[in-house]
Amino acid sequence: KSGRELGTFCFQDTGVGKSSIVCRFVQDHFDHNISPTIGASFLTKTVPCGHELHKFLIWDTAGQERFHSLAPMYYRGSAAAVIVYDITKLDSFQTLKKWVKELKEHGPEDIVVAIAGNKNDLGDIREVPMKEAKEFAESIAAIFIETSARNAVNVEELFQKISKQIPPLENPEVDSNDSFKLTRQPAPSARRCC
Amino acid sequence: MAAEDLPSEFDVVILGTGLTESVAAAAFSRVGQRVLHVDRRSYYAGNWASFTFSGLLTWIQQHHEEPLPEEAQDWSSLLEEGEELIHLSHSDCASIRNLQVFCFTSEEDEEEEAPNTTEEETGGAAEDSECADSTEEETKETGEEEEEVREEEEVREEEQTTPSAALRQSEPTKKKISYAQLLKEGRRFNIDLVSKLMYSRGSLVDLLIKSNVSRYAEFKNVTRILTYRDRQVEQVPCSRADVFASRQLSVVEKRKLMRFLTSCVEETEEQRAYNGRPYLEFLRDRQLGDNLQHFLLHSIAMVTEDTPTEEGLASTRHFLRCLGRYGNTPFLFPVYGLGEIPQCFCRMCAVFGGIYCLRHSVDGVVVDRDSNRCKAVIDSRGQRITCSHFVVEEGYVAADRKRVATPTRFLSRAVLITDGSILPSDSDQQVSMVTVPPIAAGCPAVKMVELCSSTMTCMPGTYLVHLTCQSVGSAYEDLSPVVTRMFRTPESHDQETCPSVLWCLYFNMTDGSGLEAEGHNLPSNVYVCSGPDGDLGHELAIRQAESIFQKILPEEDFCPPAPNPEDIIYDGDNTSSSAGGEEEKEENDGVAEEEKQEEEKEMLEEEKEMLEEEKEMLEEEKEMLEEEKEVLEEQNLQTEE
Ligand SMILES: Cc1cc2nc3c(=O)[nH]c(=O)nc-3n(C[C@H](O)[C@H](O)[C@H](O)COP(=O)(O)OP(=O)(O)OC[C@H]3O[C@@H](n4cnc5c(N)ncnc54)[C@H](O)[C@@H]3O)c2cc1C
Ligand SMILES: Nc1nc2c(ncn2[C@@H]2O[C@H](COP(=O)(O)OP(=O)(O)O)[C@@H](O)[C@H]2O)c(=O)[nH]1
Ligand SMILES: [Mg+2]
């Protein structure tokens, strides 16, 4: 099987459970007081998908979303975006629409968008009806699922759905053009272009 | 949005998200300072920002609007005994002026325009009449600009009388991209307000690598260096390989150039004798010939005719040092544009707990009268935020409080979207640095950067061209003569082979190098950062950020490496517990790792030098063989005769 890296990022306002979902997916772990100092550049997890292995590189925001100040550089080159809202907070569903707009403006064109209604273990204090959210997701051709990071409900499924929607790689050669990261060692230098 | 309140105490408050401020923010946050980083704008990077096409149109519009009269809010209720308030400026307009926009392509796709006409034919009348509307619409600003439009229309009328529809051949050519298409594909553009390149051994690249901020961005090599000379665009051979491969240079010139480049690596008595005298004179006396002299002065040293020799030689050495680290030229360019770089540093700051607020400003600085120190700031929502230090971009500081060079210096900028490369080659994905010496006496030397679509700064099928110079007049006055000569616009004549300008923008920006380092009328714990300067590299901004950091925290390391994600091991369920201790360990690891890597780097560099020497020898041998071959060929010819 061939491996493939999928840049994915999670966003929405603070408190909806982004970090908890990521933590549940990658480490199958839930912590009530998730600490911002855990410190990982991005968390990774590999999921088999057909003939490919999809390695999710999940970027969590470093808190820049707290005051609606996420830098556009977060979206660069991402294959998928997960927009999380809290089903017990109508507000979080309203700001979701703002994030969708932001994504349409700044995100990559062919990005796969998934909407996750988190904390569905708290159904008795629900403020966002599932039907309404589902219809909204359909209207923007996004994946929709309700999750609970706490009870490990549908978190795996969320990423599987994303995995299925990622278009197969067309031409891996063209894709890897000559941009590179700067490292301490001199880069594989002078790949001449002419 | 549910307005969350900001914490009311920080170590450092930073206003402005330009490069200098962002580097400082990352540095402070990295060593554990509590940082609040705000910007009154809705985007990151201030005058260092890059925009999508529509984003740029919005920016243009904002800078055309009359600034609202600034009425200072009365925050006196937030002040205590013995305190006073220094008001900060809110207007964004002072640093940008003389904006002019021209659209030279059709507003909409014109279906009836047969796609099968030759370049020459479409070049003249047909196109020009198409774009009349959009040009007018774009430039309805000031009276001055209206004049410009009229001038263009005259040109157009003249051209329309020339018979153009004579022969319509069936040779298919690509249709010119319309304004509607530019708008539609606008997200593919990342148009920088400043135009700079990164020297592969410059302080920015070193800092990105040292701090690990480099992990947030990707880069491309500038693939070639061009120069404009005798109305021609030529490629400048700059590496040894280039020199040997060059078809423009004779064997004698090649040898002279090689010898010169080798000789100037070390400082010699001979060179010192020219200190204070123009570099041009030094070059002349080396009897290199016009070709080489031009390349060396304008494209390699990138100095003017009166730059002193020691400065010219220093630039030449810097250029040579930067060659071959990553590619064939000394320069790198970040994918998605330069505006990414400040964002990368902001991200590093956020990772270490820095708090970010755009659309949020600081209204005033609370000063303790006795100590003349800043105790707190009042933000634009009237919250008093205590801080030990305040770092601020110069644009926010009132003119009477800062010391700047007089008269104010400006940079002239032009941004063009074109439909072809200025020097077409086998690959249509070249990134070119172009030096344009003054086209007439008294005109400025222009630096030009041509970006292709794979840099993710423009849509496929177009090129993004940035022109920059020290302003003499307005940006339009300084740069449009160069544009008209090197590109096809309605004003240019017989330039059928040049790429067409589809859309362009001219503006002036305050030159950040005019800000004095010291002597501002501000409390001692307020630090002013300058905006972008006109240099090609980023030395000023990085130097300034480091010096501010060292003034505040002289004992601390500036941007030590952040730990690598690979080094952080998640041992199953014990993930979030030991955060504090772990962090320290990681930091130490980081330092040790850095030392190891430094050593490795040095070894590699030594090895490289040896290899290079070897290569040089081989190349010399090759050169000799080539000469021999030439002689033999000549003999051959003679025997044939
Ligand atoms: C499940 C999870 C949830 C998280 N939630 C948050 C959150 O809500 N808010 C938040 O600000 N960060 C949070 N983090 C921290 C997270 O490490 C990064 O902020 C984020 O993943 C993106 O940073 P990066 O890729 O640039 O990290 P990297 O560049 O890899 O980070 C480099 C190093 O910085 C250190 N570091 C990272 N974050 C901090 C911090 N906040 N304080 C001190 N040191 C740090 C760590 O040692 C880390 O290894 C979370 C991390 C995880 C794993
Ligand atoms: N009941 C419940 N609480 C959750 C769930 N997911 C997250 N939380 C809680 O919501 C709060 C915010 O979560 P966090 O992951 O930090 O949100 P973030 O700011 O979006 O990253 C934390 O107190 C979590 O414990 C869930 O599925 N169910
Ligand atoms: Mg979080």
Side-chain angles (χ1 to χ4, degrees):
Chain A
K1 278 185 179 178
S2 65
R4 180 167 164 207
E5 295 194 340
L6 299 179
T8 305
F9 60 96
C10 263
F11 62 153
Q12 236 297 11
D13 290 4
T14 305
V16 296
K18 297 181 297 296
S19 304
S20 302
I21 287 181
V22 175
C23 199
R24 170 60 75 188
F25 176 56
V26 176
Q27 297 160 10
D28 200 16
H29 172 85
F30 181 81
D31 188 339
H32 278 279
N33 308 301
I34 202 160
S35 143
T37 42
I38 299 172
S41 144
F42 37 73
L43 296 175
T44 65
K45 180 162 174 173
T46 306
V47 176
C49 176
H51 297 292
E52 286 184 331
L53 282 178
H54 284 170
K55 181 178 181 189
F56 280 98
L57 311 178
I58 309 163
W59 301 66
D60 199 345
T61 57
Q64 275 173 313
E65 82 280 7
R66 238 174 102 190
F67 297 96
H68 284 248
S69 303
L70 202 61
M73 61 150 296
Y74 278 85
Y75 323 123
R76 307 293 189 207
S78 297
V82 182
I83 313 179
V84 186
Y85 70 92
D86 179 343
I87 66 155
T88 69
K89 298 236 161 56
L90 191 56
D91 269 2
S92 77
F93 185 66
Q94 299 307 335
T95 45
L96 174 138
K97 296 178 180 171
K98 243 179 62 187
W99 284 112
V100 168
K101 186 166 163 278
E102 166 88 13
L103 190 60
K104 292 263 178 267
E105 267 167 35
H106 296 287
E109 236 161 342
D110 44 7
I111 194 163
V112 174
V113 180
I115 292 178
N118 192 39
K119 306 196 188 176
N120 95 330
D121 51 290
L122 302 175
D124 44 337
I125 50 167
R126 173 195 287 277
E127 284 185 8
V128 184
M130 176 129 101
K131 185 160 169 288
E132 189 181 330
K134 199 168 177 175
E135 278 168 9
F136 175 71
E138 271 163 18
S139 75
I140 59 160
I143 295 167
F144 173 76
I145 197 163
E146 277 197 359
T147 57
S148 166
R150 184 180 162 174
N151 297 350
V153 174
N154 279 345
V155 175
E156 195 83 24
E157 287 76 2
L158 165 67
F159 287 92
Q160 256 158 19
K161 280 187 174 213
I162 293 173
S163 203
K164 286 203 194 95
Q165 286 233 341
I166 299 286
L169 214 49
E170 276 159 24
N171 197 339
E173 290 311 305
V174 175
D175 206 26
S176 62
N177 63 16
D178 62 342
S179 57
F180 51 88
K181 295 243 177 206
L182 301 184
T183 55
R184 276 155 218 275
Q185 281 89 26
S189 84
R191 248 186 281 171
R192 306 200 53 159
C193 60
C194 33
Chain B
M1 119 185 144
E4 209 179 322
D5 258 351
L6 285 169
S8 59
E9 196 186 332
F10 288 89
D11 296 313
V12 187
V13 173
I14 301 180
L15 176 58
T17 50
L19 183 61
T20 312
E21 303 92 82
S22 302
V23 170
F28 285 122
S29 167
R30 178 67 185 85
V31 298
Q33 299 280 301
R34 293 163 303 164
V35 174
L36 171 65
H37 199 175
V38 297
D39 197 311
R40 70 179 160 220
R41 302 166 177 103
S42 59
Y43 51 88
Y44 277 88
N47 279 350
W48 302 79
S50 41
F51 295 104
T52 62
F53 192 57
S54 67
L56 184 64
L57 297 179
T58 310
W59 179 86
I60 291 167
Q61 205 181 4
Q62 282 167 356
H63 285 83
H64 276 312
E65 281 161 12
E66 280 296 306
L68 296 169
E70 286 190 39
E71 47 181 280
Q73 291 255 24
D74 181 20
W75 299 125
S76 51
S77 61
L78 297 168
L79 300 185
E80 290 161 19
E81 268 299 297
E83 290 178 348
E84 61 184 64
L85 196 68
I86 298 177
H87 280 280
L88 294 178
S89 158
H90 282 290
S91 116
D92 206 5
C93 299
S95 65
I96 305 287
R97 55 180 64 183
N98 304 329
L99 271 110
Q100 279 170 268
V101 180
F102 300 92
C103 178
F104 297 138
T105 189
S106 56
E107 185 81 4
E108 297 287 340
D109 286 348
E110 299 217 356
E111 292 308 329
E112 69 276 29
E113 254 288 294
N116 52 348
T117 55
T118 61
E119 280 284 326
E120 281 82 12
E121 284 158 7
T122 38
E127 260 171 23
D128 294 339
S129 51
E130 283 167 19
C131 63
D133 294 345
S134 48
T135 311
E136 264 169 1
E137 198 186 289
E138 287 295 321
T139 57
K140 56 193 164 203
E141 283 69 79
T142 66
E144 201 186 320
E145 281 158 33
E146 265 158 35
E147 234 169 72
E148 235 101 61
V149 175
R150 242 175 272 130
E151 262 171 42
E152 274 157 35
E153 275 166 357
E154 274 164 39
V155 175
R156 239 176 255 136
E157 269 158 317
E158 270 169 43
E159 281 183 1
Q160 270 164 354
T161 58
T162 62
S164 71
L167 296 158
R168 295 227 152 182
Q169 285 166 12
S170 53
E171 201 183 305
T173 53
K174 63 174 194 253
K175 213 165 73 181
K176 209 160 135 180
I177 291 166
S178 68
Y179 186 71
Q181 271 172 291
L182 294 180
L183 281 178
K184 186 161 158 276
E185 299 284 317
R187 281 190 344 178
R188 293 181 181 265
F189 289 90
N190 278 296
I191 304 172
D192 290 318
L193 294 183
V194 287
S195 176
K196 286 177 176 291
L197 294 175
M198 300 163 62
Y199 280 94
S200 69
R201 291 184 194 281
S203 44
L204 176 57
V205 168
D206 287 348
L207 181 64
L208 283 167
I209 293 174
K210 177 191 174 200
S211 62
N212 278 343
V213 171
S214 61
R215 70 166 71 128
Y216 300 136
E218 292 199 358
F219 299 86
K220 267 179 181 296
N221 284 313
V222 171
T223 56
R224 56 185 187 173
I225 295 187
L226 309 176
T227 188
Y228 185 68
R229 194 169 158 234
D230 301 333
R231 303 198 147 249
Q232 292 259 315
V233 178
E234 288 174 34
Q235 182 155 0
V236 179
C238 48
S239 67
R240 289 190 157 88
D242 276 0
V243 172
F244 279 104
S246 166
R247 265 176 253 143
Q248 301 144 275
L249 299 179
S250 70
V251 177
V252 178
E253 279 177 318
K254 285 181 187 181
R255 189 155 339 105
K256 275 187 181 169
L257 182 58
M258 293 301 290
R259 206 179 302 139
F260 180 86
L261 292 178
T262 315
S263 75
C264 67
V265 174
E266 301 251 302
E267 206 181 320
T268 62
E269 261 323 301
E270 195 191 10
Q271 291 167 8
R272 269 193 288 273
Y274 283 83
N275 278 3
R277 285 155 65 195
Y279 188 44
L280 181 65
E281 217 173 294
F282 177 80
L283 292 175
R284 247 188 223 136
D285 292 353
R286 303 275 105 33
Q287 278 155 3
L288 297 158
D290 283 351
N291 259 337
L292 296 184
Q293 198 172 291
H294 179 99
F295 290 160
L296 285 165
L297 188 78
H298 297 292
S299 308
I300 292 182
M302 285 184 269
V303 296
T304 60
E305 304 205 332
D306 44 16
T307 305
T309 301
E310 61 275 23
E311 220 175 282
L313 280 167
S315 313
T316 307
R317 283 190 203 112
H318 186 43
F319 185 101
L320 293 175
R321 257 200 315 279
C322 292
L323 275 179
R325 184 176 196 184
Y326 294 106
N328 278 334
T329 73
F331 306 114
L332 298 174
F333 187 81
V335 179
Y336 298 108
L338 289 160
E340 295 292 282
I341 304 292
Q343 291 181 53
C344 291
F345 283 99
C346 290
R347 171 146 207 206
M348 183 57 88
C349 174
V351 163
F352 286 89
I355 292 188
Y356 277 82
C357 263
L358 298 177
R359 301 168 215 91
H360 199 109
S361 194
V362 170
D363 256 19
V365 179
V366 179
V367 185
D368 180 68
R369 267 198 214 99
D370 292 336
S371 62
N372 190 32
R373 284 181 67 85
C374 159
K375 286 171 74 179
V377 295
I378 310 281
D379 79 358
S380 45
R381 295 199 197 131
Q383 186 182 346
R384 183 179 162 127
I385 299 168
T386 309
C387 63
S388 315
H389 300 278
F390 179 54
V391 177
V392 56
E393 180 216 293
E394 68 167 304
Y396 293 87
V397 180
D400 58 350
R401 290 216 169 248
K402 58 186 172 190
R403 236 181 75 201
V404 290
T406 44
T408 315
R409 287 208 294 269
F410 284 92
L411 304 173
S412 286
R413 290 272 295 115
V415 176
L416 323 176
I417 299 171
T418 70
D419 68 351
S421 172
I422 189 164
L423 185 64
S425 73
D426 299 345
S427 161
D428 62 356
Q429 294 297 310
Q430 301 265 13
V431 182
S432 314
M433 160 78 207
V434 194
T435 55
V436 186
I439 52 170
C443 291
V446 175
K447 290 186 189 112
M448 183 161 125
V449 175
E450 185 189 78
L451 302 167
C452 59
S453 61
S454 66
T455 61
M456 310 303 258
T457 57
C458 57
M459 66 182 273
T462 66
Y463 290 81
L464 187 63
V465 182
H466 289 282
L467 293 91
T468 314
C469 69
Q470 288 292 334
S471 40
V472 175
S474 74
Y476 182 83
E477 287 161 356
D478 290 343
L479 296 171
S480 69
V482 174
V483 172
T484 333
R485 269 180 203 220
M486 299 180 68
F487 298 88
R488 198 139 50 107
T489 71
E491 290 160 80
S492 55
H493 303 278
D494 13 286
Q495 251 115 287
E496 281 80 15
T497 55
C498 297
S500 297
V501 176
L502 303 174
W503 182 91
C504 65
L505 161 69
Y506 294 92
F507 64 94
N508 289 99
M509 185 188 284
T510 312
D511 179 353
S513 69
L515 183 81
E516 303 286 344
E518 306 280 333
H520 307 292
N521 179 17
L522 289 166
S524 58
N525 56 343
V526 173
Y527 310 83
V528 189
C529 302
S530 48
D533 62 330
D535 277 359
L536 190 57
H538 298 77
E539 312 304 308
L540 176 70
I542 305 301
R543 201 174 350 108
Q544 210 171 55
E546 187 164 4
S547 112
I548 291 172
F549 179 82
Q550 271 156 4
K551 264 183 224 158
I552 298 178
L553 299 171
E555 306 285 293
E556 293 278 2
D557 195 0
F558 181 64
C559 293
N564 277 312
E566 294 79 36
D567 304 338
I568 304 163
I569 314 290
Y570 291 97
D571 42 356
D573 34 19
N574 177 31
T575 44
S576 62
S577 50
S578 61
E582 227 166 58
E583 209 184 314
E584 209 164 67
K585 190 183 126 275
E586 279 159 16
E587 248 174 57
N588 290 337
D589 281 356
V591 172
E593 188 196 15
E594 196 201 18
E595 270 164 19
K596 210 179 75 201
Q597 279 168 338
E598 260 331 297
E599 260 170 41
E600 232 164 84
K601 189 174 130 196
E602 263 164 38
M603 263 167 52
L604 276 170
E605 250 156 23
E606 261 167 37
E607 212 171 294
K608 195 175 126 205
E609 258 164 40
M610 267 164 49
L611 280 172
E612 247 157 25
E613 262 165 33
E614 221 167 282
K615 190 173 136 207
E616 225 172 286
M617 268 165 48
L618 281 172
E619 263 163 0
E620 249 158 37
E621 226 168 283
K622 187 175 137 208
E623 204 185 336
M624 267 163 46
L625 283 172
E626 252 160 17
E627 268 172 79
E628 229 168 280
K629 193 175 131 205
E630 256 170 78
V631 175
L632 282 173
E633 261 164 12
E634 232 167 287
Q635 280 175 347
N636 247 346
L637 272 178
Q638 279 168 356
T639 45
E640 259 171 39
E641 274 171 22

